[in-house]
């Protein structure tokens, strides 16, 4: 239990340092998990997951963007180790459907 507390304290300290240096990341909802993982999340983000891209550039990670369904919903995430703390960040967003040229053949299921 003392080890978990130490991990949580390290994650909380990293969060304070992160938000002090980069207040723009306060748009994310941050939590410290019981095993010391620092998690940032945002649902229905309006900038197509750009908050994840910004966070990844600050913390040193590579974000992944995934189209979730044929309606244009998306998911962006990344994970990294920052100052000895495991950090996971994700955002969901709505994206306008891709426009296709007239006559484009699309496989059943949307085929993005």
């Amino acid at each position: 239990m003392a080890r978990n507390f130490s991990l949580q304290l390290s994650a909380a300290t990293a969060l304070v340092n992160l938000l002090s240096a980069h207040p723009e990341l306060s748009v994310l909802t941050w939590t410290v998990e019981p095993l010391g993982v620092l998690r940032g999340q945002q649902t229905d983000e309006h900038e197509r997951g750009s908050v994840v891209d910004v966070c990844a550039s600050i913390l040193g990670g590579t974000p992944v963007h995934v189209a979730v369904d044929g309606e244009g919903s998306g998911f962006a995430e990344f994970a990294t180790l920052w100052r000895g703390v495991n950090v996971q960040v994700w955002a969901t967003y709505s994206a306008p459907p891709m426009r296709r040229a007239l006559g484009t053949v699309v496989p059943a299921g949307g085929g993005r």
Side-chain angles (χ1 to χ4, degrees):
M1 184 140 151
R3 175 166 159 67
N4 287 357
F5 178 74
S6 176
L7 293 172
Q8 289 175 322
L9 183 58
S10 294
T13 301
L15 179 58
V16 168
N17 292 333
L18 177 63
L19 294 180
S20 294
H22 300 280
E24 67 273 19
L25 297 181
S26 64
V27 299
L28 292 161
T29 299
W30 291 96
T31 56
V32 175
E33 300 293 322
L35 292 178
V37 175
L38 180 56
R39 196 175 312 251
Q41 62 191 44
Q42 186 176 43
T43 56
D44 200 27
E45 196 246 358
H46 298 291
E47 300 295 323
R48 299 182 58 107
S50 67
V51 69
V52 174
D53 297 334
V54 169
C55 204
S57 70
I58 291 169
L59 299 177
T62 302
V64 175
H65 292 258
V66 178
V68 175
D69 60 28
E71 298 301 314
S73 296
F75 182 80
E77 70 174 331
F78 88 100
T80 192
L81 184 66
W82 186 70
R83 297 187 179 181
V85 174
N86 287 309
V87 180
Q88 299 173 349
V89 179
W90 62 267
T92 61
Y93 55 90
S94 296
M98 289 180 60
R99 293 183 176 215
R100 294 185 172 83
L102 186 59
T104 302
V105 177
V106 178
R112 292 185 177 254

